[in-house]
Amino acid sequence: MDFKCKICDIKMGSAKAFEEHNRGRKHKQKEFEAKRISIPSNLNKKKSLLLHLLSQYGTPNSDQHILIQRLLWGPSPENPPKSTQTVIQMNKCQTNPSTQLVTQTGHNSQPKPSQSNPSLPSTPPLHPSVPKCMRKEGKGEGKHVLLFYKYADISDPAGAVVWQDALCRTLEITGRIRIASEGINGTVAGSIEALEVYKRAMFNHKELQMDPESFKVSAGSSVDFPSLEVRECQEIVALGIPPSLLPAKAGGRHVTPEEFHRMISKWSMDAIEESPGVSGKYQGVTGASETGDLPKAIIVDCRNEYEWKVGRFNGAILPHTRQFSDWPKFADELIKRYQLAPQSLSTTTPASNGKEDEKKGNPLGPETPVLMYCTGGIRCERGSAYLRSKGVKNVFQLQGGIHRYLERFPDGGGFKGKLFVFDKRRVIQASKAEVIGTCDRCAKPYDQYDDKIRCKSCRALALVCPSCQKDLMPETSQPKKVEICDNDKKGSSAKRRDRRLGLGVEFVCSPCRYGK
């Protein structure tokens, strides 16, 4: 009996092959394209489509109607602006942004409330606590970025993908969104009005029921997010463990940026040690208060090596991982190294050799507080759940991640350097950010990533300063590969990708160098 996929027009010889084909990415892409909703150009039809989409997972309210009206047709015709065009202009490098309206001719005009509809909401501004130094001007200006995630039960992930794709394209929003049965994770860019409509849709979504604190705002542009990609995945952030076996709701306690700041300030992190890892070559810190009133605590960075190389909290344990799926192996050795779980107490580790930490007189053990952080908080959800599943008791995670922390502490607070992000911006920074990254070749201060400079084995980004790039790639010769180790396991597909990207200088990153 032949099994045929009507969507892909392919015949298969067995039911097993048919099932595997249906689970494949190419089939799902064609299935998605067949269901994809076409977006009309007519504004009235576009409005009808938006209201239809909003009604699928909730009931549109009056505010949403008003926002859609403003998005498509601008200010109410009953109260037109005096100038030909009104745009939002921000002053640079100020902690508390003051928004003023400027006409095309350059004359300032004060905004007036709408007389035709007193309930008309004002144009939603950027988050008031976002430092202006983190904002971006120039090409693509006028777009802003929303980062969000929510762990919630999604009954129909494939249908949610079609819905999100249609909603974003109708609102002219670009970016990347991952949807799974466990929830949603996304970074999108668009106009202020479009993003406000999008947020209201997520607030009213009957399954997600997101709140304003679920969204983080940063500067960006259409150049940073040139296209839209909405995908169905097994996990909204790839840990490699099925969500049914390790749900995010089993994670650690959320602490606000203010609480996290007090914690890292009160627990003095000044005892530098080697931290654990697959290779035993991690760098980390433990510490205790000077008075001895508090137990020791450790700060753990949940991000990958190429992320924390350009910015991190003082005293954090920095894992040499290249992807989040490496976290379980790192976490197992972290628990063993610091005796964070009851079952690890009987194991003698290189950290203490079964003795107390003589410097502070306070042993590490199951009661040790573990403070975790990542970019936006999503990796800490399941990362902390994994620690707790292994018996670690006192696990705390920074709510909203570094991004929310920088909103609350615009000068950087305890975070040093810049925040790595997964788009063309590469980094965003606080008002007083310093360069803490170093060139992988000469060790001089440098923190600007280039997509063409990567690990030759795993393709992770590498830091190579312009001076070293010139030394390694003379204009008259072919690009050279810096042989740091023999761990070159690239297959033919990786080599084809290299040619497509036109990669130049290549290093081997620490995870590959240490045999991960």
Side-chain angles (χ1 to χ4, degrees), residues 284-451:
V285 179
T286 64
S289 67
E290 293 298 329
T291 61
D293 295 333
L294 293 170
K296 289 188 174 182
I298 59 175
I299 305 176
V300 182
D301 196 321
C302 293
R303 301 173 301 157
N304 301 310
E305 178 182 355
Y306 57 87
E307 298 175 74
W308 56 251
K309 281 170 71 175
V310 297
R312 52 191 176 267
F313 281 98
N314 283 339
I317 293 176
L318 309 172
H320 288 294
T321 54
R322 67 177 184 85
Q323 56 193 13
F324 189 50
S325 57
D326 296 331
W327 170 260
K329 194 170 185 179
F330 164 77
D332 289 343
E333 296 211 10
L334 180 78
I335 294 170
K336 180 180 178 182
R337 171 70 167 79
Y338 289 107
Q339 300 182 346
L340 299 177
Q343 61 267 30
S344 65
L345 292 176
S346 59
T347 304
T348 301
T349 65
S352 62
N353 293 321
K355 302 177 182 179
E356 285 189 344
D357 181 347
E358 296 178 359
K359 182 174 181 179
K360 295 295 180 182
N362 225 343
L364 294 176
E367 302 300 324
T368 303
V370 179
L371 314 179
M372 302 173 59
Y373 69 89
C374 61
T375 304
I378 185 170
R379 281 177 280 188
C380 286
E381 299 282 2
R382 296 191 70 206
S384 63
Y386 184 84
L387 289 179
R388 287 176 59 82
S389 72
K390 295 295 182 177
V392 184
K393 297 180 180 179
N394 296 327
V395 183
F396 303 87
Q397 61 187 83
L398 175 56
Q399 185 174 3
I402 304 169
H403 199 289
R404 184 73 78 204
Y405 182 89
L406 292 179
E407 289 180 0
R408 300 291 193 267
F409 298 92
D411 62 349
F415 184 79
K416 306 302 178 185
K418 300 173 183 177
L419 173 60
F420 181 93
V421 291
F422 292 90
D423 55 63
K424 290 188 177 181
R425 295 174 297 171
R426 286 304 177 210
V427 295
I428 57 178
Q429 63 187 66
S431 58
K432 297 181 180 179
E434 55 185 300
V435 177
I436 67 171
T438 57
C439 173
D440 288 334
R441 183 171 183 261
C442 68
K444 291 182 180 178
Y446 185 69
D447 63 2
Q448 301 298 316
Y449 279 114
D450 185 332
D451 282 342

Side-chain angles (χ1 to χ4, degrees), residues 210-230:
M210 299 182 73
D211 56 72
E213 285 299 310
S214 299
F215 293 91
K216 295 171 282 293
V217 185
S218 66
S221 70
S222 56
V223 177
D224 301 318
F225 300 88
S227 61
L228 174 68
E229 180 186 10
V230 186

Side-chain angles (χ1 to χ4, degrees), residues 44-285:
N44 287 310
K45 291 183 178 179
K46 187 175 286 190
K47 178 182 178 181
S48 299
L49 176 59
L50 276 173
L51 293 175
H52 170 71
L53 291 171
L54 295 178
S55 63
Q56 282 187 275
Y57 289 94
T59 303
N61 54 36
S62 59
D63 284 348
Q64 287 176 300
H65 281 268
I66 295 169
L67 285 168
I68 291 172
Q69 186 82 11
R70 294 189 61 181
L71 173 67
L72 299 177
W73 286 280
S76 171
E78 298 179 16
N79 187 34
K82 294 182 180 180
S83 56
T84 55
Q85 183 181 3
T86 304
V87 297
I88 294 179
Q89 186 180 71
M90 304 287 186
N91 296 325
K92 295 179 64 177
C93 298
Q94 294 180 5
T95 300
N96 297 317
S98 58
T99 305
Q100 58 178 344
L101 295 181
V102 182
T103 65
Q104 278 187 331
T105 57
H107 300 292
N108 293 348
S109 61
Q110 297 298 325
K112 296 182 179 180
S114 172
Q115 298 176 356
S116 61
N117 192 345
S119 64
L120 184 66
S122 59
T123 302
L126 280 171
H127 195 291
S129 61
V130 176
K132 288 199 171 178
C133 291
M134 294 173 64
R135 301 184 182 178
K136 185 174 181 179
E137 298 179 355
K139 188 175 181 180
E141 187 179 357
K143 298 267 185 175
H144 303 294
V145 179
L146 278 183
L147 296 86
F148 61 91
Y149 73 89
K150 179 68 181 287
Y151 281 97
D153 293 331
I154 304 296
S155 58
D156 180 16
V161 168
V162 175
W163 183 82
Q164 284 282 341
D165 174 77
L167 179 63
C168 290
R169 287 190 296 122
T170 307
L171 295 173
E172 298 183 1
I173 286 175
T174 57
R176 294 190 302 271
I177 300 174
R178 293 170 61 97
I179 298 175
S181 59
E182 64 171 345
I184 185 171
N185 174 26
T187 303
V188 296
S191 67
I192 295 178
E193 293 81 3
L195 293 179
E196 188 65 20
V197 174
Y198 182 82
K199 287 198 297 182
R200 300 292 179 94
M202 302 294 271
F203 295 160
N204 294 334
H205 196 288
K206 62 183 180 182
E207 292 184 330
L208 294 174
Q209 298 181 351
M210 299 182 73
D211 56 72
E213 285 299 310
S214 299
F215 293 91
K216 295 171 282 293
V217 185
S218 66
S221 70
S222 56
V223 177
D224 301 318
F225 300 88
S227 61
L228 174 68
E229 180 186 10
V230 186
R231 286 200 296 144
E232 180 186 357
C233 307
Q234 296 298 317
E235 305 170 81
I236 57 176
V237 59
L239 180 62
I241 302 175
S244 58
L245 300 179
L246 187 70
K249 62 183 180 182
R253 175 192 157 193
H254 291 76
V255 294
T256 65
E258 291 80 7
E259 290 175 313
F260 189 85
H261 185 77
R262 286 194 294 270
M263 285 179 171
I264 63 176
S265 299
K266 198 166 187 179
W267 283 310
S268 174
M269 299 292 161
D270 56 3
I272 300 177
E273 298 180 353
E274 287 292 315
S275 65
V278 175
S279 65
K281 293 183 180 292
Y282 291 83
Q283 180 183 0
V285 179

